[in-house]
Amino acid sequence: MGVTDDVRLAAKEKGFIVHELAAALRGSEDYGHYAKEVLATYFYMGNGENHPPVHTPEYDFIDTQIKEVCEIFKSLVGVE
């Protein structure tokens, strides 16, 4: 299993719905550089279809998502 599979499995185990992108996105050239050195993957936590998109005046960060994403990271490192 690769690191992307690990993230996918951790998210599903925590009850998140996982949507696969049809094509890779260029999130940041920094991450591409790091991925040359270590196994890496990139994932997003979405806000849902009825939430204003990022980089718009109406956008408001959903604070509870910090804890939710931390649950995925905890699962990845084996901390429950």
Side-chain angles (χ1 to χ4, degrees), residues 5-64:
D5 294 321
D6 293 341
V7 171
R8 186 183 295 117
L9 180 62
K12 288 180 179 179
E13 285 177 348
K14 295 294 181 179
F16 294 103
I17 298 169
V18 176
H19 295 280
E20 302 284 334
L21 298 176
L25 295 178
R26 182 180 278 179
S28 170
E29 66 276 1
D30 294 342
Y31 290 99
H33 175 74
Y34 300 143
K36 291 178 186 177
E37 304 295 324
V38 297
L39 294 175
T41 194
Y42 202 88
F43 72 96
Y44 294 94
M45 177 73 166
N47 293 319
E49 294 178 2
N50 297 318
H51 194 78
V54 178
H55 306 301
T56 64
E58 299 81 20
Y59 179 77
D60 184 30
F61 183 81
I62 302 171
D63 294 334
T64 57

